[in-house]
Amino acid sequence: MAAAETVAMTTEEIEDLAFRALQNAGASEANARSVARSSAAAHADGAASHGLPYVPIYCEHLQCGKVRGHAALAINRMKPSVLVADAGNGFAHPAIDAGFERLVPLAKEQGIACLAIRNSYNCGVLGWHTLRLAQRGLMAMGFTNAPASMAPVGGVQKVVGTNPFSVAAPDGKGEAHILIDQSASVIARSEIMQYARRGDPLPEGWALDGDGRPTTDPDAALRGTMVPCGGYKGFGVALMVELLAAAAAGATLGKDASPFSGPVGGPPATGQFFIAIDIDTTSGGTFQGRAEELVAAISRQPGARVHGTGRKAARARAAAEAMQVDCAIVEKVRALAD
């Protein structure tokens, strides 16, 4: 197929467009801004599938009630180092933003702290959230569950979602030494959706159809199941995330959650779980030296790549010059904004 036409946009322009569309669809100013900022950051990170392409889905869900644009947010400190947030079936982003404002000082005071979020929704690029904790000097771990799209190895019934996890290690200079952000499946479901929109076949090994057979048809894949990364080990990662982001957070299990696409069902009410660690306390001040050694041992090998360096380079490019964004997606979001 011919390459899609693109238009040059800055991060600020992407954020403004997403903000206007979300507010026009029924999100409060604060909620729309929080989600729009994350959407723009996804493009800057080179993860465009989680940016403007998702905004029409967010708008549809605002209008049909799957996500509440004016949700009431509640955050409680349950124990000295434990925060629990109820997103009220609104967007995850405002709950994460507000939770982090309390989580950061708490982790620095206590040495380690956690934030559990329930009755939430898609949080976009998980690694963007853990990166923000690393930029404030904390080792961060993040988990988010999703509506079921993956069957156990040997089975055909969906039990858990693609269930990403992320780890961000601070470099002490406002960035991250290492940023791991990956789903428990071979590929994120949003990437399958991108292939379906373009009508392109999938690479082999990404998905199974409804009968559990390998498929390269993105529509069959969306009706079927995702393939766990690393077989049963990847499914084990998905279970770990499900235990933390859903069970431990008091959120809805992926098998019971309504999908993040389409108008069917009520609010997904899924969850997130974040752990923030003051690594100067736990390492006795030796963390940065050890992390630098680890990064050097990887980066000095020809062809090797340190997790997160691609996104860091993409952010630098986005800060210096406009990004190319699919024209069709821009026009679709602009219609919602106007």
Side-chain angles (χ1 to χ4, degrees):
M1 294 184 65
E5 292 185 12
T6 61
V7 59
M9 297 182 72
T10 64
T11 304
E12 292 75 20
E13 289 170 335
I14 294 171
E15 180 179 334
D16 177 69
L17 181 60
F19 171 76
R20 290 189 291 114
L22 291 162
Q23 196 170 29
N24 203 33
S28 69
E29 181 177 352
N31 289 350
R33 181 62 67 191
S34 181
V35 179
R37 191 181 301 118
S38 171
S39 299
H43 284 272
D45 273 9
S49 64
H50 285 72
L52 287 182
Y54 247 113
V55 171
I57 298 173
Y58 294 156
C59 291
E60 178 185 42
H61 287 178
L62 281 164
Q63 292 166 338
C64 76
K66 288 192 76 165
V67 59
R68 294 175 181 164
H70 291 259
L73 170 67
I75 302 177
N76 294 298
R77 185 178 179 182
M78 308 304 292
K79 291 200 172 181
S81 60
V82 178
L83 297 171
V84 176
D86 190 322
N89 289 321
F91 286 111
H93 307 71
I96 294 171
D97 290 347
F100 280 7
E101 289 307 305
R102 297 180 62 175
L103 180 66
V104 170
L106 199 59
K108 291 182 177 181
E109 173 193 330
Q110 298 289 330
I112 185 170
C114 69
L115 167 66
I117 301 174
R118 63 174 67 122
N119 294 324
S120 179
Y121 182 79
N122 188 337
C123 72
V125 178
L126 181 63
W128 184 65
H129 301 296
T130 55
L131 172 64
R132 291 188 291 154
L133 292 176
Q135 289 171 334
R136 297 174 75 171
L138 296 165
M139 173 79 86
M141 302 175 69
F143 312 86
T144 182
N145 82 315
S149 61
M150 198 158 59
V153 175
V156 296
Q157 185 175 345
K158 302 172 187 177
V159 177
V160 295
T162 54
N163 287 14
F165 75 92
S166 179
V167 179
D171 67 359
K173 303 171 186 176
E175 256 293 341
H177 279 303
I178 295 172
L179 173 61
I180 302 168
D181 182 7
Q182 62 189 64
S183 63
S185 56
V186 172
I187 196 73
R189 196 169 188 272
S190 60
E191 293 295 331
I192 304 286
M193 294 166 65
Q194 290 279 76
Y195 276 77
R197 290 189 192 101
R198 297 194 301 264
D200 292 343
L202 300 174
E204 293 183 2
W206 279 16
L208 307 174
D209 66 16
D211 296 319
R213 296 172 301 200
T215 184
T216 59
D217 180 346
D219 292 318
L222 291 173
R223 293 191 298 269
T225 61
M226 308 292 292
V227 172
C229 181
Y232 75 91
K233 293 184 179 180
F235 190 76
V237 170
L239 287 178
M240 173 190 71
V241 174
E242 193 78 2
L243 288 170
L244 287 164
T252 301
L253 294 174
K255 71 180 185 64
D256 301 320
S258 66
F260 282 157
S261 59
V264 178
T270 47
Q272 291 80 33
F273 200 98
F274 294 94
I275 301 170
I277 305 167
D278 182 355
I279 36 81
D280 285 336
T281 298
T282 59
S283 71
T286 65
F287 174 82
Q288 292 302 337
R290 294 177 190 275
E292 287 167 7
E293 285 183 31
L294 182 59
V295 169
I298 298 168
S299 58
R300 64 171 169 249
Q301 299 184 46
R305 179 182 63 85
V306 178
H307 284 68
T309 53
R311 290 191 186 182
K312 188 184 296 184
R315 285 195 298 276
R317 288 193 299 272
E321 60 188 39
M323 295 168 281
Q324 296 300 315
V325 185
D326 187 301
C327 278
I329 291 297
V330 172
E331 289 307 313
K332 191 171 184 178
V333 178
R334 187 167 286 146
L336 294 167
D338 295 339

